[in-house]
């Protein structure tokens, strides 16, 4: 059985890094891009990031998923939830974790089909793993190992999102 274990990243470290990321993002864009939050995992991250960006920043949320338990299924569900109103617009995709790269690669390709302008990626966590799809995050909150983590919006089968910090799941088997 898996349950939350030790804190990997504290709430204070997360908030400090989110503020730094927002500053880097503001410095890159002359006008705020449309933020596309990939739900549900990026909910807290998107919310805190938006509070640090100019008030005219627009955002959308799309429910995109590929995980069951602690593993990617290899199938992306929810691409049809991305708005078609992004043609010619700069888009900043906000996601919780860059892991296999499959989700972000498919989202980026779908945005191209919709005619979006420059598309960049910001992730809270980037796992140090071999990726099945080639994708690069332009802004990264934290680099982590292969461990499965929860908290600050990240979940294990829908549970443990509400922790303010990020914790490593451990097997209590």
């Amino acid at each position: 059985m898996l349950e939350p274990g030790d804190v990997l990243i504290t709430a204070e470290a997360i908030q400090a890094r989110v503020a730094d990321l927002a500053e880097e993002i503001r410095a890159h864009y002359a006008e705020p891009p449309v933020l596309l939050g990939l739900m549900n995992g990026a909910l807290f991250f998107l919310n805190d990031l938006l509070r640090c960006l100019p008030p005219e920043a627009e955002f959308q949320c799309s429910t995109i998923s590929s995980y069951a338990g602690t593993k990617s299924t290899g199938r992306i569900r929810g691409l049809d939830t991305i708005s078609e109103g992004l043609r010619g617009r700069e888009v900043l995709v906000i996601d919780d974790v860059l892991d296999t790269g499959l989700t972000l690669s498919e989202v980026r390709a779908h945005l191209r089909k919709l005619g979006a302008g420059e598309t960049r990626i910001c992730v809270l966590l980037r796992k140090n793993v071999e990726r099945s799809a080639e994708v690069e995050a332009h802004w990264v909150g934290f680099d982590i190992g292969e461990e499965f983590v929860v908290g600050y919006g990240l979940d294990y089968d829908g549970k443990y999102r509400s922790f303010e910090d990020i914790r490593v799941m451990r097997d209590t088997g």
Side-chain angles (χ1 to χ4, degrees), residues 44-115:
F44 293 18
F45 182 39
L46 174 64
N47 182 56
D48 288 345
L49 196 57
L50 273 169
R51 290 179 183 168
C52 297
L53 292 174
E56 63 272 9
E58 297 176 46
F59 74 96
Q60 297 181 11
C61 297
S62 290
T63 303
I64 308 288
S65 62
S66 66
Y67 267 74
T70 62
K71 302 281 184 216
S72 174
T73 64
R75 288 188 28 235
I76 307 302
R77 296 176 304 280
L79 288 174
D80 58 337
T81 66
I82 297 175
S83 167
E84 294 188 15
L86 298 173
R87 180 169 297 282
R89 308 276 313 269
E90 289 184 309
V91 178
L92 177 57
V93 177
I94 308 296
D95 200 9
D96 54 358
V97 181
L98 171 53
D99 189 353
T100 65
L102 181 61
T103 298
L104 287 167
S105 175
E106 291 290 324
V107 166
R108 188 179 55 198
H110 189 72
L111 287 167
R112 274 194 213 113
K113 285 182 197 171
L114 295 176

Side-chain angles (χ1 to χ4, degrees), residues 106-154:
E106 291 290 324
V107 166
R108 188 179 55 198
H110 189 72
L111 287 167
R112 274 194 213 113
K113 285 182 197 171
L114 295 176
E118 178 188 65
T119 299
R120 293 190 172 255
I121 297 170
C122 178
V123 296
L124 176 63
L125 305 174
R126 176 174 55 195
K127 284 193 174 187
N128 183 20
V129 296
E130 188 173 325
R131 305 207 198 296
S132 57
E134 197 170 313
V135 65
E136 180 184 332
H138 301 88
W139 292 280
V140 176
F142 301 93
D143 285 302
I144 66 171
E146 295 182 40
E147 57 265 29
F148 191 84
V149 294
V150 296
Y152 194 66
L154 293 95

Side-chain angles (χ1 to χ4, degrees), residues 1-17:
M1 179 172 168
L2 291 176
E3 66 180 39
D6 295 335
V7 172
L8 180 65
I9 306 170
T10 66
E12 296 79 17
I14 293 168
Q15 292 308 310
R17 185 64 185 129

